[in-house]
Amino acid sequence: MGVIREEDGRLPEVIQPHSLHEAWERKTAFGDSSRYVAGGTLLRTGWENGTDHMPKQLIDLRQITNLGDITLTEFHLSLGALVPLSQCRSNEHLQAVAPALQEAARCIAAPSVRNLATLGGNIASGFGDILPALLVYDAELISFDGKFMTALPLIEWLNNHWSGIKPAADLVAEIRISPTRLESPLMDRLEIFRKVGRREAFTPSLVTVAISASIDEELRFREVRIAAGGGSGRPQRLSRAEVMLEGVRYTEELLASLYEGVENSFETYSDPFASELYKKKTAGNLVVSELWKAMNIRS
Ligand SMILES: Cc1cc2nc3c(=O)[nH]c(=O)nc-3n(C[C@H](O)[C@H](O)[C@H](O)COP(=O)(O)OP(=O)(O)OC[C@H]3O[C@@H](n4cnc5c(N)ncnc54)[C@H](O)[C@@H]3O)c2cc1C
C-alpha cells in the first residue's frame, strides 16, 4: 500500500488499542474525526475513489486479542471480527456448518485483499457480500457498546445500522451461527451462495443471493431462508419468496411463481452499471436456476 494522507497533506494518527474497551474509549473521545480500521481494504477503496474521506485518527483494531479465531462448540460456530476472509475460505468448521458463508468468502476480491480483509470490516460496512450468507443462517452478532457485549440477531443489527440508530463507536466483536440439526437422517440440506458482478471474477457484486433450507424425503422444503444483496445495497431476507417454498413439495411449476416472488420483493437500486429492474430480474434468475440445479440432482 502507498502512503495514506489526510486531505490537508498530513498523515492520519494511528492508534493501536489492545482491548475493545480502549478502542471504544478512543473512538468516543475523537468522535467523527476518527475511524476504526481492521484490514483497511474497504476504507482504502473509498479514499481512492473519493466516496470516503481520510480521518484525522485511525483506530487500528488488529492488536485486540481474541477476535481472530474460528471455534466450534456444542452450541455454535463462533467467528471473531478480525478473522481474515482468506481463513474463512479454508476453515473446516465453516465448511461443515455454513458452506454458503464459505462460498461468499471465496467470491470476494483476490487473495492479496482477502489476506487483509476481515469479516468484521465486511459486516460493519452494512453492505458486504458476506451479509446475505449470514442472514440465511440466522446469525447473531455480538457487539461492544463501551460497557456490555450485546448479542442481537444480525437482521436486527442491520435494521439499526440502516436506520442510523447504531452508535458510531459500537464495535463488531463476533458472529455466531447455530449448527442446523436435521429432524431425521433422511433429510438433506440445501446451502447456496451466488454472486453476479460486472465480470466473471475479481469484481464488485451487482447482485448476491443466498439460500438455505432443509429438504425432507418427499422433497418438501423446511426452514427456508432466502436473502439477497449486492453492490452497496441493503442486504435483506426475501420473506415473501420464503413463504412460497415453506412446507411445499418441489415441482418445476413452482419456479415461475418463485421467480416473481423474488423479483417483486427484492428492494434494490439503480447505479451507473445496472438498473434496479435488471438487478431484480437477476436475483429472480439466480434463485430459480440454483434451486433447479440443486433439485434436479435429487429428483
Ligand atoms: C480489489 C477489491 C475488491 C473487493 N471486492 C469485494 C467484494 O467482492 N465484496 C465485498 O463485500 N467487498 C469487497 N471489497 C471490500 C473489502 O475488501 C471487504 O468488504 C472487506 O471484508 C472489508 O474488511 P476490512 O477489514 O478491510 O475493513 P476496513 O476497510 O478496515 O473497514 C471497513 C469499515 O468497517 C469499519 N470496521 C472495521 N472493523 C470493524 C469492527 N470490528 N467494528 C466496527 N467497525 C469496524 C471501519 O471503520 C470501516 O467503516 C473489495 C476490496 C478491494 C480492495
Side-chain angles (χ1 to χ4, degrees), residues 35-45 61 81 85 107-110 113 116-122 124-125 127-130 170-173 195 203-205:
R35 295 288 289 275
Y36 291 131
V37 59
T41 59
L42 185 60
L43 283 174
R44 171 103 198 189
T45 307
L61 304 175
L85 297 183
C107 293
I108 293 175
V113 175
L116 291 170
T118 65
L119 208 50
N122 197 282
S125 70
F127 55 79
D129 286 345
I130 286 292
D170 277 13
L171 281 149
V172 174
K195 164 178 165 176
T203 181
S205 59

Side-chain angles (χ1 to χ4, degrees), residues 20 23-25 27-28 36 61 120 124 141-148 150 152 157 160-161 165-173:
L20 284 168
W24 183 90
E25 276 190 336
K27 179 80 184 86
T28 304
Y36 291 131
L61 304 175
L141 191 139
I142 318 296
S143 61
F144 181 69
D145 67 3
K147 277 195 178 142
F148 303 110
T150 311
L152 212 57
W157 182 89
N160 293 345
H161 179 95
I165 57 175
K166 183 186 77 67
D170 277 13
L171 281 149
V172 174

Side-chain angles (χ1 to χ4, degrees), residues 235-264:
Q236 58 204 266
R237 284 269 297 274
L238 304 180
S239 319
R240 247 189 292 166
E242 291 175 357
V243 169
M244 288 174 155
L245 291 185
E246 189 64 53
V248 173
R249 189 168 189 275
Y250 174 76
T251 61
E252 284 196 7
E253 290 68 52
L254 192 60
L255 297 178
S257 54
L258 182 65
Y259 173 88
E260 276 181 26
V262 172
E263 188 185 355
N264 293 336

